[in-house]
Each structure stands twice: as structure tokens, then as C-alpha cells.
Amino acid sequence: MSQGINVVGLYVNDQDEALAFYVGKLGFRVHTDVRNGAYRWLTVQHPEQPSFQLGLFTPGPPVHDEATAQTLRAIVAKGAMPPLVLTVADCRASYGQLQSLGVEFTQEPVERFGSIDAGFRDPAGNGWKMIQAAGSSK
């Protein structure tokens, strides 16, 4: 039987650029970085979620032909992929910290639905919602 979800992948344009963003700016750490010819399996994980990995994958062979890879890169760049959610203890403080590191925000912190959230994008265009953890009083 299934043991749960272990890896969720994102399409990125440049794995080294994505690695610098997720590790250097968001504080993730490298879990796996291996190559098989031109193919690179690169995953990172949040330090507080060691059982979950975020795959940083480039569209292309051996999974996609070049036309499909170009289409996928264009869709990601437009921010059309479903957003991911990052939970933080203090949305406003995290917003300030990440903004100072050069993270591109698409939405400043806003209070709604009993919490506070903000939006940002990674270098490839993948959208993120940063949501203050429920019950945080900051």
C-alpha cells in the first residue's frame, strides 16, 4: 500500500538558479543532487519537514520532447501553475526578510480568512503563497 507522498516536483528553467533561490533565500537544504548523463535529479527539503522533498526539475529529455519543454517553460513563466504554500510563524516578518534577500513578491501581506498571507514567485515564475500559521498572533 501507499506510504504517502515523498516528492512533489516543480519545473524550473535553471537548476543551479533554482537551487540558489530555494537554499540561499528560502532556507531549504539539498536532499539529493545526482546526475544520469544530462538528466539531473535535484531535490530540496524544508528543514522542518525532513520526510518531504521538493523536486527542482527542468522540462526536457528524457521526459519531454523540446516542443513540450518549451510549452512547459512558457506556462511556468506566466505563473499559470498552481501555487505552492509555505507556512510561516509571522508573515510580515518573513515578508521583510525575504524581500531583503531579493525575493520577488506579487502580493504584500494581507489579512484575510483569519490569517495573513503574501505571494511571491521563484526565478522560473512558480507562484507561492506564504501563509501565517493558524493561531499565530503576530
Side-chain angles (χ1 to χ4, degrees):
M1 278 315 278
S2 173
Q3 297 294 312
I5 297 171
N6 181 262
V7 178
V8 170
L10 290 179
Y11 291 127
V12 299
N13 297 328
D14 179 305
Q15 287 176 303
D16 290 325
E17 179 183 45
L19 187 60
F21 178 81
Y22 284 94
V23 172
K25 294 184 180 183
L26 297 187
F28 285 58
R29 42 180 196 227
V30 175
H31 182 276
T32 305
D33 188 355
V34 295
R35 296 176 190 262
N36 184 4
Y39 184 76
R40 182 180 183 188
W41 180 268
L42 174 61
T43 66
V44 294
Q45 63 188 172
H46 190 280
E48 294 178 24
Q49 287 184 294
S51 65
F52 180 79
Q53 299 170 55
L54 184 63
L56 306 174
F57 306 125
T58 54
V63 180
H64 309 106
D65 60 43
E66 188 51 37
T68 303
Q70 286 179 354
T71 300
L72 288 169
R73 285 191 291 271
I75 289 170
V76 170
K78 290 181 179 184
M81 301 301 285
L84 294 110
V85 176
L86 180 66
T87 302
V88 296
D90 183 333
C91 187
R92 287 186 178 94
S94 295
Y95 170 83
Q97 179 185 16
L98 293 176
Q99 194 174 42
S100 73
L101 293 171
V103 173
E104 173 193 344
F105 276 83
T106 56
Q107 174 206 311
E108 294 181 2
V110 174
E111 291 186 46
R112 61 175 149 204
F113 310 118
S115 189
I116 301 169
D117 69 84
F120 65 91
R121 293 171 59 144
D122 75 5
N126 290 295
W128 281 85
K129 277 294 192 184
M130 181 171 64
I131 299 177
Q132 187 164 307
S136 293
S137 59
K138 299 194 180 214

